[in-house]
Amino acid sequence: MQQPGLRIVKDGVHQKSKQSLAVNFPAQLSQFPELRYMGSKKRLLPWIHDVFSNLDFETALDPFSGSGSVAYLLKSMGKRTISSDFLNLSSTLAKALIENGTAHLDGPAMKRLLAEPANTHHFIEETFDGVFFTKEDLRFLDRISCNLRQLDSVHQQALAMAALMRSCVKRQPRGVFTISGDLSKYDDGRRDLRLSIEEHFFEQVEVYNEAVFANGRRNKACRSDAFEVDTRGVDLVYLDPPYVPRADDNCYIKRYHFLEGLSCYWQGLDIDFTTKVRKIPKRFTPFSYRKQAVEAFERLFLRFQKQKIVLSYSSNGFPDLDQLTEILHQTKSDVRVFKRDHTYHFGTHRNVKRSAVEEYLIVGQ
Ligand SMILES: C[S@@+](CC[C@H](N)C(=O)[O-])C[C@H]1O[C@@H](n2cnc3c(N)ncnc32)[C@H](O)[C@@H]1O
């Protein structure tokens, strides 16, 4: 039975077609550099935009920002945007494109980045030789990582790191760091796999430079656990936590440990040298565990009881939709659910698998 105060809308706010959803969609979004990030909402942005457009808010917080696609949408909509994630790789991406509105990698910055440094460190080459990429690629990563600290601003540094990380994702089969060694079986002739990291980097610097824009607001990127992030001044929060996995796990560190390490040159990280891919420790999140997810949502909704909440969820998540809306009702009197069919693609280029789910946007206010 439907709970009192709960409204369910199929497909969109006003049952809009995909074409009409695109009409008011900010053109800036076409510049967003996608990272093939697990759980990215990039493909759902026109629909999410439609739901946001019908809500009244000025300052938005995205505390599970991941690739930053939704924060980029919010910024494109002219909102003051605060982006946060507990991974350093995500907060670096957000520093580059959410917080930063003016810094670019110009000629002088590129000259500094590409210079042959007097004392190059060889940490990446020594640690990942035979694991990921070629020796030249690894040397290039060491060089840029060292030179990056010479750049004038933290935003230029974040831009350079974002371009470097996307270069690595493009060069690595399937964009994940769970596979290593001889990867020839994944080579389907794609240009991305043939280009060196250096060649990719030149392209990605352009891509990131073009993606930088200002929206006249003081936007912010930080690294924080969602339960600790500052909520002052925030009137809407967009929540996109990981789902309890059905079969495979949903660990971001397992897939992206190399990027997380690269983003801080592995400083302070404990590499497990007994693993083939040189893993770093997982980050605990209660949203990954069946026994803890319900309590985690209760705590999360309580934490944002003063803000409007927009939650991304999916029919393959646990707890299910009914239980989740019931929890949200404890702190919000008006709960609306927007539903939409969605197909996820995964696997290799040659062997693409699809999984059909229903996507939800749950709005509580
Ligand atoms: C589904 S992804 C978000 C995807 C994002 N909306 C996008 O479009 O790319 C979930 C994110 O939550 C982050 N995360 C998980 N638990 C967290 C926690 N307790 N605090 C902060 N971030 C967390 C993960 O690092 C991951 O980046």
Side-chain angles (χ1 to χ4, degrees):
M1 202 181 68
Q2 193 164 308
Q3 300 149 21
L6 172 68
R7 283 178 279 162
I8 298 188
V9 186
K10 181 83 179 164
D11 265 324
V13 184
H14 301 115
Q15 304 270 5
K16 289 178 185 159
S17 66
K18 277 188 183 164
Q19 285 84 346
S20 67
L21 279 181
V23 170
N24 298 316
F25 192 55
Q28 183 65 46
L29 265 301
S30 63
Q31 305 289 348
F32 180 72
E34 193 176 12
L35 259 184
R36 297 166 80 188
Y37 195 76
M38 177 170 64
S40 162
K41 298 297 174 288
K42 171 78 171 43
R43 287 174 58 215
L44 293 170
L45 291 182
W47 179 53
I48 297 177
H49 170 255
D50 198 39
V51 171
F52 282 156
S53 298
N54 284 280
L55 295 168
D56 187 22
F57 65 104
E58 280 307 315
T59 299
L61 167 69
D62 178 1
F64 299 93
S65 66
S67 69
S69 70
V70 179
Y72 197 80
L73 166 69
L74 288 160
K75 184 179 174 187
S76 306
M77 292 173 72
K79 308 295 179 186
R80 185 163 92 88
T81 305
I82 304 165
S83 173
S84 172
D85 198 287
F86 68 8
L87 293 186
N88 196 56
L89 84 90
S90 298
S91 62
T92 305
L93 294 171
K95 268 227 170 329
L97 293 184
I98 306 302
E99 187 175 285
N100 175 29
T102 51
H104 290 85
L105 293 172
D106 52 12
M110 287 303 283
K111 211 168 153 192
R112 277 191 205 174
L113 274 175
L114 296 168
E116 226 24 276
N119 299 314
T120 313
H121 295 271
H122 300 280
F123 173 79
I124 301 180
E125 182 185 347
E126 283 162 7
T127 311
F128 292 98
D129 187 21
V131 180
F132 299 123
F133 309 129
T134 65
K135 241 183 190 324
E136 289 68 40
D137 286 333
L138 297 174
R139 278 191 199 128
F140 183 76
L141 291 175
D142 271 319
R143 172 147 62 103
I144 300 297
S145 302
C146 279
N147 289 343
L148 192 139
R149 292 167 224 172
Q150 310 298 323
L151 294 178
D152 291 336
S153 77
V154 290
H155 293 138
Q156 279 189 330
Q157 292 177 8
L159 266 184
M161 184 47 76
L164 205 57
M165 288 198 284
R166 194 160 189 255
S167 303
C168 293
V169 167
K170 285 188 160 281
R171 179 93 167 104
Q172 173 72 358
R174 295 168 55 200
V176 292
F177 296 86
T178 50
I179 45 176
S180 69
D182 177 16
L183 302 178
S184 50
K185 71 172 176 183
Y186 296 99
D187 189 353
D188 53 9
R190 250 176 311 150
R191 178 177 179 272
D192 276 357
L193 299 183
R194 277 185 279 120
L195 255 48
S196 68
I197 290 197
E198 181 168 357
E199 288 166 326
H200 273 299
F201 184 68
F202 282 107
E203 292 188 359
Q204 294 313 313
V205 164
E206 295 247 316
V207 168
Y208 274 89
N209 272 342
E210 277 167 26
V212 173
F213 74 105
N215 71 349
R217 301 293 186 111
R218 279 193 299 121
N219 306 298
K220 205 167 146 19
C222 45
R223 180 180 179 192
S224 169
D225 192 288
F227 292 102
E228 285 158 19
V229 67
D230 192 353
T231 59
R232 279 173 301 177
V234 173
D235 39 40
L236 178 139
V237 62
Y238 168 73
L239 300 175
D240 188 15
Y243 310 138
V244 173
R246 286 265 154 129
D248 196 7
D249 72 285
N250 66 356
C251 181
Y252 285 85
I253 288 292
K254 179 178 157 190
R255 284 169 180 72
Y256 306 121
H257 62 95
F258 187 83
L259 304 179
E260 181 68 0
L262 181 67
S263 71
C264 61
Y265 207 61
W266 284 265
Q267 271 164 15
L269 293 175
D270 225 355
I271 296 181
D272 182 352
F273 282 92
T274 66
T275 59
K276 208 168 151 195
V277 293
R278 310 278 184 263
K279 276 193 210 159
I280 54 176
K282 272 186 176 186
R283 281 221 58 153
F284 167 79
T285 184
F287 297 100
S288 293
Y289 300 91
R290 221 179 160 80
K291 283 198 175 136
Q292 299 183 42
V294 170
E295 193 264 345
F297 276 111
E298 285 170 350
R299 265 197 304 140
L300 195 68
F301 295 158
L302 207 56
R303 177 151 185 89
F304 299 114
Q305 57 182 320
K306 293 203 182 113
Q307 284 76 25
K308 289 179 181 147
I309 288 180
V310 178
L311 170 75
S312 268
Y313 210 62
S314 149
S315 55
N316 61 2
F318 172 86
D320 67 14
L321 181 65
D322 285 349
Q323 196 176 358
L324 203 58
T325 51
E326 214 173 295
I327 303 170
L328 190 55
H329 250 308
Q330 291 165 10
T331 49
K332 306 285 178 207
S333 55
D334 179 15
V335 175
R336 272 176 296 162
V337 180
F338 300 95
K339 294 186 178 182
R340 186 186 174 113
D341 296 327
H342 187 60
T343 311
Y344 279 101
H345 300 86
F346 54 99
T348 59
H349 264 221
R350 275 198 193 131
N351 186 17
V352 179
K353 297 192 179 97
R354 290 179 182 82
S355 154
V357 293
E358 215 173 21
E359 280 291 325
Y360 308 130
L361 279 171
I362 307 170
V363 179
Q365 45 189 338

